[in-house]
Amino acid sequence: MSGYLFHELKRLTIDKARYLIEWTEIAALPTEGTIVLFPRLEELLLRNCDQLTSAPTRFPCLQKLEIESMDSGMPISNISTHLTTLTCLIIKKIRRLTCLPEGMLKSNKNLSYLEIKDCPELTCIVDDVYGCCASLEELRISKCPNLRTLPDGLHTLLSLRKFIIDNCKSLECIPVTYGLTSLCEFSVWFCPQLPSLPEGLEYCTSLQMLTIRKCSKISSIPITQGLPFLREIKISWCAQLSSLPSGLEYCTSLQKLTIEYCTSVEFVQTLHGFTSLRQLSLYRISGKILLSALESCTSLEILSISYCPNLETIPRLDSLTHLRKLAIYECEVLKSVPSALASSHYSLTRLIKLEVGGFWKELDSFPAFHVIPQLEELTLYGWPKLNSLPEQVQHFTSLTYLEIYSFDGLEALPEWLRNLTSLECLFISMSKNLMYLPTIEAMQCLTKLQHIHIYHCPLLKERCIKDIGPEWHKISHISTIRVDRVKWS
């Protein structure tokens, strides 16, 4: 005779059972035959059971196992060695786990997701883990500060599609990736001791997304040939990176390229053939920037270049007829706006968001630019010599958002602000000498204005104090007023 306990149960969570030491399998009596425990259980979560040292080992249908916030790694080895049906294993916050048990996944041939997170004493992952994971599709390892290397055999994970390593501060080596022809996403974040990316990365021919963030020792990216499906590259906070991949020009499917906070890199790149590129963002790059053949990027929708002190010129943008957002600001040697903005033969007919300014500090006035009738959002960056806003702005009658940033020489906002009748939000910031808003008559012409924000403008702040400031009556009718992020109405 055989029997079943919890015959219909499919999901089980045991949480905060802090005094639970043993969770044993029910022993069948001779007269009762076999008793199958949890015969249909598919998901098991064990969390915050600090004293638990053992658990049942046989769950014939278990697919997802998550073990979290435990003091000991014993339940992991105890449970996993007899499992055969796992497709998802998540191990989080196991405080005294130093190494994953050998052979822990040897009987699971269909495991597709493995995550190891926040295990402060983990120093190694046994070599046979990969050998047991032929069907693994996603591998995530994060917040393991003492993990110094990953086991060899990464190249055997032929089904791996996503590989993410995050916040492993002691990691010094990632094994070679030759053979990972199914890999679509590879991301390495916050690994300051990692000196290089794995060899063979350029042979991951299915790669679509590459992200490298806060890896301060990486000096190069080993891609010398084209990756035909690569669509997105994001590299940030890599202080020793001196150049972009030499094979970047062959990645002709690239749609998004972002380089941020890479103080040593030089972006001297020909963009000829990048007809699929939709977004190019360069932020806080101290090295030389030369954008050759930018005009060939005819699919570009977002172009953003900011805080780049060695950007001297912007190529022609006239052919970028799909451009929706253009940001060129805080590039201190630039002396003019892009020609496409200044030309009378205006071609950027889809542009709806513009951020511009912060140019050469010796300029006495803001460079002239063409009226953009369809523009909806405008941010203007000033510099100390300026004492007025560019007058062309009064003709941008479709504006719903206007931000005025760092105009220290400006004392009063112009009366022509009244012409911006579609304006819904006005943001004024970092303008230390600004004191006056337009007249009350001008402000009342802005019938759609719902939000006004004043940030780090000490004189204007004082004059806009609720009910008593001399400028308050000009804005008291506006529904949302925030001053230095404090809501005043």
Side-chain angles (χ1 to χ4, degrees):
M1 178 180 179
S2 60
Y4 299 93
L5 290 179
F6 305 105
H7 180 261
E8 299 296 329
L9 190 65
K10 291 187 176 182
R11 296 177 181 85
L12 173 62
T13 298
I14 300 177
D15 190 6
K16 296 182 181 179
R18 301 193 181 278
Y19 299 102
L20 178 64
I21 298 174
E22 285 190 277
W23 177 20
T24 59
E25 297 190 61
I26 296 176
L29 298 174
T31 57
E32 295 178 341
T34 303
I35 296 178
V36 179
L37 190 66
F38 303 115
R40 295 188 179 181
L41 192 68
E42 296 176 357
E43 297 183 15
L44 173 61
L45 170 58
L46 298 175
R47 182 193 293 134
N48 293 306
C49 303
D50 290 342
Q51 299 188 52
L52 184 64
T53 58
S54 66
T57 59
R58 291 175 177 84
F59 298 95
C61 295
L62 193 65
Q63 297 177 26
K64 180 179 180 180
L65 172 60
E66 183 171 350
I67 301 177
E68 180 180 347
S69 298
M70 310 282 254
D71 192 52
S72 167
M74 286 299 294
I76 296 174
S77 57
N78 185 269
I79 292 176
S80 61
T81 51
H82 290 88
L83 295 177
T84 61
T85 56
L86 275 187
T87 59
C88 175
L89 175 61
I90 301 172
I91 299 169
K92 292 182 181 179
K93 298 182 180 180
I94 311 299
R95 286 177 286 277
R96 289 192 293 167
L97 178 67
T98 58
C99 186
L100 293 189
E102 189 170 354
M104 61 174 289
L105 296 171
K106 64 182 180 181
S107 299
N108 288 275
K109 305 302 181 184
N110 296 309
L111 190 73
S112 61
Y113 182 92
L114 174 60
E115 180 176 358
I116 304 168
K117 180 178 181 179
D118 208 355
C119 296
E121 296 186 22
L122 185 71
T123 58
C124 68
I125 299 173
V126 290
D127 288 343
D128 74 338
V129 167
Y130 294 154
C132 304
C133 300
S135 60
L136 196 66
E137 295 182 2
E138 185 167 344
L139 174 61
R140 292 176 176 261
I141 304 172
S142 60
K143 294 186 178 180
C144 296
N146 286 303
L147 184 65
R148 298 185 63 181
T149 184
L150 301 181
D152 291 330
L154 184 64
H155 63 282
T156 65
L157 303 180
L158 301 182
S159 299
L160 193 65
R161 295 176 57 83
K162 184 180 290 189
F163 183 22
I164 297 175
I165 305 171
D166 177 17
N167 213 336
C168 295
K169 296 181 179 179
S170 299
L171 189 67
E172 297 176 350
C173 179
I174 301 176
V176 296
T177 56
Y178 293 101
L180 296 185
T181 54
S182 296
L183 191 66
C184 296
E185 179 180 345
F186 179 57
S187 297
V188 184
W189 304 331
F190 304 103
C191 296
Q193 297 303 315
L194 186 68
S196 61
L197 296 178
E199 293 183 24
L201 186 62
E202 62 185 338
Y203 298 103
C204 300
T205 52
S206 296
L207 195 65
Q208 298 178 21
M209 181 182 296
L210 174 65
T211 305
I212 313 296
R213 178 176 174 82
K214 288 198 173 181
C215 297
S216 54
K217 287 191 175 182
I218 288 178
S219 59
S220 63
I221 297 174
I223 298 177
T224 59
Q225 60 186 26
L227 292 172
F229 299 106
L230 190 62
R231 294 187 303 180
E232 181 174 348
I233 298 178
K234 184 170 185 178
I235 305 170
S236 57
W237 297 95
C238 295
Q240 293 190 30
L241 184 69
S242 58
S243 62
L244 297 180
S246 59
L248 185 63
E249 60 188 286
Y250 304 113
C251 301
T252 53
S253 296
L254 197 63
Q255 296 181 10
K256 184 176 180 180
L257 176 59
T258 303
I259 314 292
E260 299 175 334
Y261 291 100
C262 294
T263 53
S264 300
V265 76
E266 287 193 350
F267 193 95
V268 181
Q269 182 70 47
T270 176
L271 297 170
H272 182 73
F274 281 61
T275 54
S276 298
L277 193 65
R278 295 183 179 179
Q279 179 172 340
L280 174 60
S281 300
L282 306 178
Y283 182 72
R284 292 195 182 274
I285 297 177
S286 300
K288 184 178 180 180
I289 295 179
L290 181 60
L291 302 173
S292 175
L294 179 62
E295 66 275 9
S296 69
C297 301
T298 52
S299 297
L300 202 63
E301 298 177 359
I302 298 174
L303 174 61
S304 178
I305 307 176
S306 54
Y307 292 94
C308 296
N310 286 304
L311 177 70
E312 296 181 0
T313 60
I314 299 290
R316 295 188 65 85
L317 307 179
D318 303 74
S319 61
L320 307 185
T321 56
H322 288 83
L323 206 61
R324 294 184 296 106
K325 175 185 174 181
L326 175 61
I328 309 288
Y329 62 91
E330 298 297 354
C331 299
E332 57 194 48
V333 298
L334 274 181
K335 297 181 181 180
S336 63
V337 298
S339 60
L341 294 180
S343 172
S344 58
H345 300 291
Y346 181 68
S347 60
L348 305 182
T349 56
R350 299 190 185 184
L351 192 68
I352 59 173
K353 184 172 183 178
L354 175 64
E355 300 177 27
V356 65
F359 298 148
W360 188 45
K361 301 300 187 261
E362 295 305 313
L363 291 176
D364 293 323
S365 61
F366 209 97
F369 54 95
H370 189 74
V371 173
I372 308 170
Q374 80 281 358
L375 198 70
E376 297 177 4
E377 298 183 28
L378 174 64
T379 300
L380 295 171
Y381 290 78
W383 53 91
K385 272 198 167 187
L386 298 185
N387 56 20
S388 63
L389 301 179
E391 292 195 359
Q392 300 95 320
V393 175
Q394 64 182 301
H395 303 296
F396 291 6
T397 54
S398 296
L399 278 188
T400 60
Y401 176 93
L402 174 62
E403 180 171 354
I404 300 164
Y405 180 90
S406 195
F407 278 78
D408 282 344
L410 188 66
E411 294 185 0
L413 293 183
E415 279 295 291
W416 53 249
L417 204 68
R418 67 167 68 217
N419 298 333
L420 306 181
T421 54
S422 298
L423 198 64
E424 298 174 5
C425 181
L426 176 61
F427 198 113
I428 310 164
S429 62
M430 307 297 288
S431 299
K432 64 181 181 181
N433 292 310
L434 184 61
M435 292 187 291
Y436 305 106
L437 298 169
T439 62
I440 187 170
E441 292 80 14
M443 294 299 295
Q444 288 179 345
C445 288
L446 304 177
T447 57
K448 294 184 179 180
L449 188 62
Q450 306 257 339
H451 308 275
I452 185 166
H453 298 252
I454 300 170
Y455 179 66
H456 280 201
C457 301
L459 300 182
L460 186 59
K461 173 184 177 179
E462 186 72 20
R463 295 178 61 82
C464 287
I465 293 177
K466 185 176 181 179
D467 295 329
I468 61 173
E471 300 292 302
W472 173 256
H473 69 288
K474 299 178 181 179
I475 58 174
S476 59
H477 63 285
I478 297 173
S479 59
T480 301
I481 302 171
R482 290 186 180 273
V483 180
D484 289 343
R485 299 201 174 105
V486 177
K487 188 174 181 180
W488 282 14
S489 71

